[in-house]
Amino acid sequence: MVLKVFFPQCCNRADSGLLVGRWIPGHDSAVVLAVIHYPFIPGQVKQYIQQMQAQSQVELSVLGSWSLPKEGQESMESFLRDLSTIFPKGRWLQISRQMGKMGFTCHIVNRDQSKICTEEEEERVIFVHYDQRKVMLSQLHPAQSGIHEPQSDAPSELRQMFQTVAHSEPLFFLDRYDDGPLKSTHWQSEGREASIIVELLKQASVPLCLLVSWLLSVWTWICNLCVYPVRFLSTKLSTCIQLSYRTEHMTTLSSPNPAATHTHFMRKANILVSFMVDVALGMLLISWLYRDNRITVVANTLVPAADHVAKELDKLLQWLMGAPAGLKMNRALDQVLGRFFLYHIHLWISYIHLMSPFIERILWYGGLSACLGLTFALSLLSDMVALLTFHIYCFYVYGARLYCLKIYGLSSLWRLFRGKKWNVLRQRVDSCSYDLDQLFIGTLLFTILLFLLPTTALYYLVFTLLRLVVVLFQGILHLSVDFINSFPLFAMGLRICRPYRLAGTHYHMDTTVCLSV
Amino acid sequence: MEDEVFTNISGKPISLDCQSHSSFCREFTVSSPKVSIGKVTVYTCSVWLVAYAVFFFTQNTAVLSSAILVTLVGMMLHIHFVKIDHESLLVIGSLGIQVSSSYASGRESTTFIEMSKIKDIVINEAIYMHQIIYYLCILLKDPSDENTVSSVVPLFQSSKPRLNCLVKVYKSCQEVLSKCK
């Protein structure tokens, strides 16, 4: 087998010392995590490693020695070899490098046979340089591990290596400014990588989460108090649906325990980012809406628009009451239906005019809902459209009901016409012998209904099309709301800015292969 | 090593660079020819001529400026997402295979496949348009069953070298693989 040594790039120029890392069990490979420099007391090193092991749950050990002699400093071959007796281990790596020379030299001291490996075996060593920061931060695709674990398959070598680096985070907290007895080199040895803003946010997030969860509990308590009609209404209004959706989001976000798995963390982050974007867009909308009296302008155009729609509907009904598209309708029924709908429009217009003084104020307060996010404003708009086109909905319901009744009547009379009837008990059509009177009346009614059908069908068709236009508009609004709610913005951002954080099933890594001599 | 002249399936010259880092680590780089100036000129001229013709009939200057934008953006997208300069295959015995392709703009996309997932490397035949071509591919193991092949990763997809080049790469890959098994 070939021995593989995963060596961090940051330790390329480190001073001489001990290599701390882990032998990956089951594979012939070693992960070097840090270099501990001279001078040190072996007892302290052992204690430090045990402490780190307890914190990180990774089996750490001293792998070997590392020497990079400075100018004017002679090499310490014999000293390094003696070191291996202090830290007893199966194998002892002796890696050294000359200043200004490419490549590394590696000797393996095999303790069991207590001799240095032969020349031929020595050549079978691969150095893989890895970027410690990227490897530590990368999250391997969790879906893969989900498949692997049930089969009790040993995780692959690279996965183990990635996990080792990711788990040994406490090892990287020791930086060169520490006054402790040990000095080490790793990716954070120049000082810990952190940002003040992130740390402050971390500190502030705990009380904020508590506050939000308390508010949420109050809110859910109020919601549970609601009596039946309010609850029924809240399932119909898209604003209420959006509200409950956001409540659910906030409960997920404000849970005090941190995300357990990577997927969970990504979900939380996505929710947070989409919420922020949503609120930012809402604020933009508010800043646009509340400037230059735009609310008044909108309110002033809304009533004439409703009037205009009513006038157009009126015209459409007049057209239907005549001879629409050259069709000859039943005049009496046509007139009755037309008058009925005209009366309805009249009612509607008076309702709108009654409302008109309040519309501006309603819009003003409704616009404030955009503080909670653009999605709220959009759902409110959708609700308002639904309320303002209530007459179209009513027309559709009347038309559909009438048409449905007529079709039912026609189908049952058609069965009578053929001498059959619907058996309710057996859920099937049976033959039946009718009286002459029954047949006469039934056939007569069938003929009447059949000849009246085109008139009703026409009304039904026209009002369904009108309703469809409204539904289409509302559908577009709901689609955009859902898009804002569920678009994974955080994952997209990570993908673009830090692609190594989302490493997939195939590992992306920069391998620089240096060769042993 | 580079005394042989290789061509790709459409007859364009390509170069193969084999680097042997050690007995169990080899790197093969296939470089395709650069974007020819003539081709760029032809495309640009044709877009601009069409734009000028439209401008002649509509007298709208926005057409001309949009034509310039379209050619610029098209060129950027082409060198960033389509045109691949080098494709390299790094075989490291007992560790894995790294396939990377570098685009003309300098963007690199890298995929690493672990040795435990690889079944073999083979040369395969495929029908491509109206001809039959050979290509090199990595066979991946099915995680549940060792003996079946779950998927195939084709190599050198954009440069498409001919058989003589593939055989050379194949032989040295097999040398490395056989040593590590």
Side-chain angles (χ1 to χ4, degrees), chain A residues 76-252:
Chain A
M76 308 171 276
E77 276 295 314
S78 56
F79 171 60
L80 292 177
R81 205 162 301 150
D82 293 342
L83 268 179
S84 65
T85 52
I86 303 174
F87 299 101
K89 196 74 191 170
R91 265 184 292 188
W92 184 257
L93 293 172
Q94 244 173 280
I95 302 173
S96 61
R97 189 182 172 202
Q98 297 285 318
M99 260 301 183
K101 263 195 197 174
M102 286 282 285
F104 291 57
T105 328
C106 181
H107 291 286
I108 307 161
V109 182
N110 233 333
R111 232 162 178 284
D112 306 332
Q113 289 108 47
S114 67
K115 66 173 171 76
I116 298 173
C117 292
T118 55
E119 203 56 32
E120 187 201 31
E121 270 175 306
E122 240 174 84
E123 208 175 290
R124 300 176 72 82
V125 175
I126 298 183
F127 262 78
V128 181
H129 281 226
Y130 68 93
D131 189 334
Q132 210 163 30
R133 175 167 182 267
K134 287 187 178 178
V135 170
M136 200 188 95
L137 292 179
S138 68
Q139 302 277 356
L140 289 189
H141 214 285
Q144 184 80 8
S145 68
I147 301 167
H148 262 275
E149 272 157 9
Q151 293 172 353
S152 70
D153 211 356
S156 69
E157 185 183 0
L158 278 177
R159 178 175 295 282
Q160 283 195 21
M161 178 251 163
F162 270 67
Q163 276 170 355
T164 306
V165 179
H167 286 164
S168 49
E169 211 171 336
L171 193 67
F172 303 138
F173 285 163
L174 181 79
D175 58 30
R176 56 150 66 163
Y177 307 109
D178 266 345
D179 285 334
L182 299 174
K183 299 278 176 202
S184 67
T185 297
H186 43 78
W187 70 276
Q188 291 198 122
S189 53
E190 294 291 317
R192 214 176 290 174
E193 183 191 66
S195 105
I196 291 178
I197 298 171
V198 171
E199 292 301 316
L200 280 178
L201 279 181
K202 269 184 196 166
Q203 294 298 320
S205 68
V206 176
L208 199 70
C209 275
L210 284 178
L211 181 71
V212 169
S213 52
W214 182 74
L215 285 177
L216 278 174
S217 64
V218 170
W219 171 245
T220 41
W221 181 71
I222 292 172
C223 283
N224 288 337
L225 276 187
C226 287
V227 276
Y228 170 72
V230 179
R231 195 170 295 170
F232 173 75
L233 207 65
S234 69
T235 55
K236 296 292 165 209
L237 289 178
S238 51
T239 316
C240 293
I241 293 171
Q242 174 66 21
L243 202 63
S244 66
Y245 196 69
R246 269 277 177 257
T247 315
E248 200 180 306
H249 273 176
M250 294 313 280
T251 356
T252 321

Side-chain angles (χ1 to χ4, degrees), chain A residues 334-479:
Chain A
D334 206 20
Q335 290 291 327
V336 167
L337 281 178
R339 290 231 180 92
F340 173 68
F341 286 127
L342 277 179
Y343 174 66
H344 215 281
I345 289 175
H346 174 72
L347 270 184
W348 178 252
I349 285 297
S350 49
Y351 162 65
I352 290 274
H353 280 268
L354 210 69
M355 285 260 295
S356 60
F358 307 106
I359 279 187
E360 189 181 340
R361 200 167 297 165
I362 292 174
L363 274 181
W364 201 91
Y365 285 115
L368 283 182
S369 75
C371 284
L372 293 171
L374 183 67
T375 48
F376 277 94
L378 285 179
S379 356
L380 201 72
L381 180 66
S382 156
D383 282 343
M384 272 158 104
V385 166
L387 283 178
L388 281 181
T389 56
F390 192 64
H391 49 326
I392 290 177
Y393 178 68
C394 283
F395 290 170
Y396 165 73
V397 169
Y398 298 150
R401 185 59 39 175
L402 209 63
Y403 186 71
C404 182
L405 276 177
K406 204 158 260 188
I407 291 292
Y408 262 128
L410 270 177
S411 64
S412 60
L413 287 173
W414 170 244
R415 280 196 288 271
L416 179 137
F417 194 67
R418 290 182 302 152
K420 307 233 158 132
K421 73 165 190 183
W422 176 251
N423 190 337
V424 187
L425 290 177
R426 299 208 169 168
Q427 295 284 312
R428 66 173 190 197
V429 178
D430 285 343
S431 53
C432 170
S433 58
Y434 289 102
D435 291 344
L436 195 64
D437 308 352
Q438 285 171 330
L439 271 180
F440 178 71
I441 297 284
T443 317
L444 208 64
L445 280 177
F446 179 73
T447 336
I448 294 172
L449 280 186
L450 192 67
F451 284 122
L452 288 183
L453 183 68
T455 316
T456 349
L458 190 76
Y459 274 88
Y460 172 67
L461 186 75
V462 169
F463 290 133
T464 308
L465 286 179
L466 270 180
R467 170 85 188 136
L468 217 61
V469 172
V470 175
V471 165
L472 214 66
F473 179 68
Q474 280 187 315
I476 290 170
L477 284 182
H478 285 194
L479 209 67

Side-chain angles (χ1 to χ4, degrees), chain A residues 1-2 4 6 123-126 128 144 151 153 156-159 505-509 511 513 515, chain B residues 21-25 90 92-95 98 110-114 116-117 140 143-144 153 179-180:
Chain A
M1 277 296 277
V2 182
K4 279 150 281 181
F6 293 94
E123 208 175 290
R124 300 176 72 82
V125 175
I126 298 183
V128 181
Q144 184 80 8
Q151 293 172 353
D153 211 356
S156 69
E157 185 183 0
L158 278 177
R159 178 175 295 282
T505 41
H506 292 172
Y507 312 98
H508 298 264
M509 63 179 206
T511 42
V513 177
L515 300 160
Chain B
H21 297 293
S22 80
S23 59
F24 46 80
C25 175
L90 177 69
I92 311 165
S94 85
L95 188 66
Q98 177 170 284
T110 308
T111 311
F112 185 83
I113 304 171
E114 262 187 279
S116 61
K117 287 193 184 137
L140 297 185
S144 55
V153 181
K179 254 181 210 172
C180 298

Side-chain angles (χ1 to χ4, degrees), chain B residues 4 6-7 14 16 18 26 28 30 89 121-125 133-137 155-156 160-176:
Chain B
E4 254 184 288
F6 296 111
T7 52
I14 53 171
L16 172 70
C18 302
R26 286 188 188 165
F28 312 93
V30 175
L89 174 72
I121 295 185
V122 293
I123 293 179
N124 217 343
E125 267 184 331
I133 63 167
Y134 297 96
Y135 66 95
L136 201 65
C137 60
L155 302 173
F156 304 127
K160 299 196 190 74
R162 283 197 174 166
L163 186 62
N164 54 353
C165 175
L166 291 181
V167 166
K168 204 173 163 186
V169 176
Y170 173 76
K171 277 183 181 160
S172 31
C173 277
Q174 287 298 337
E175 262 174 47
V176 174

Side-chain angles (χ1 to χ4, degrees), chain A residues 134 138-139 491 493-504 508:
Chain A
K134 287 187 178 178
S138 68
Q139 302 277 356
L494 264 192
R495 184 82 235 170
I496 292 165
C497 299
R498 288 181 164 189
Y500 58 85
R501 284 288 297 273
L502 292 172
H508 298 264

